[in-house]
Amino acid sequence: MGTERTLSIVKPDGVRNGVVGEVIRRFEGAGISIAAIRMIHLAKKEAEGFYAVHRGRPFFASLTDFMSSGPIVVMVLEGDDVIARNRKIMGATDPAKADKGTIRADFAGSIEQNIVHGSDAPETAATEIRYFFSELEIVS
Ligand code: CMP
């Protein structure tokens, strides 16, 4: 395991609902470090590029409309086993199935508008981090 990096996104619903600080508080409270952070308002094409693996899924158009509907906060999180730990803190994709006390159980409105994104594996983490940050923008 050891120290890992993962990409975290507070989605447009999280920014609109004012839970950016609460999401960050939960990461920091779990001993996870923020190695990079920025706000960005994705163009539709940029949201499609980020979610390219989901192209062809029935929710792709709606998901990329949503992800380009307002600013997001993109972060690189760093820590021991942080990919899995972040996913635990976020809870299941569908908030109805997310464990009590997770970010999605507490704040998400639907399976699509689910407040946060987190990379699901080391390879996707590397690709997703590279989509938003250069190595020079990431502190260690
Ligand atoms: P995320 O973890 O960012 O990964 C892909 C996203 O697609 C997911 O969170 C949701 O926002 C969205 N998503 C996944 N499954 C569905 C679904 N069945 N219906 C609508 N949106 C979905």
Side-chain angles (χ1 to χ4, degrees):
M1 222 128 298
T3 297
E4 291 175 338
R5 285 174 177 172
T6 193
L7 185 83
S8 169
I9 301 179
V10 183
K11 298 184 179 186
D13 53 340
V15 174
R16 275 194 285 270
N17 297 344
V19 298
V20 173
E22 175 61 19
V23 168
I24 291 174
R25 191 193 67 76
R26 290 182 184 210
F27 295 152
E28 291 185 329
I32 292 169
S33 303
I34 297 166
I37 184 165
R38 186 167 79 248
M39 289 195 87
I40 182 170
H41 188 154
L42 292 176
K44 169 90 169 164
K45 281 249 173 305
E46 294 164 340
E48 289 172 350
F50 180 74
Y51 280 121
V53 293
H54 295 302
R55 200 180 282 280
R57 299 271 196 107
F59 55 83
F60 184 71
S62 167
L63 171 65
T64 52
D65 277 345
F66 163 58
M67 287 300 290
S68 57
S69 69
I72 61 174
V73 177
V74 288
M75 286 177 267
V76 176
L77 304 181
E78 195 169 74
D80 277 349
D81 196 23
V82 74
I83 296 171
R85 287 173 65 217
N86 178 41
R87 291 177 70 77
K88 256 209 142 99
I89 293 167
M90 290 192 297
T93 305
D94 182 352
K97 296 182 183 146
D99 288 341
K100 217 169 154 241
T102 60
I103 291 170
R104 284 165 170 163
D106 288 348
F107 302 113
S110 71
I111 191 169
E112 178 177 277
Q113 306 209 4
N114 60 357
I115 301 282
V116 280
H117 167 83
S119 311
D120 63 1
E123 302 71 40
T124 41
T127 308
E128 291 180 359
I129 288 169
R130 223 178 303 120
Y131 198 75
F132 290 105
F133 296 100
S134 78
E135 197 56 39
L136 286 175
E137 295 173 306
I138 306 172
V139 302
S140 220

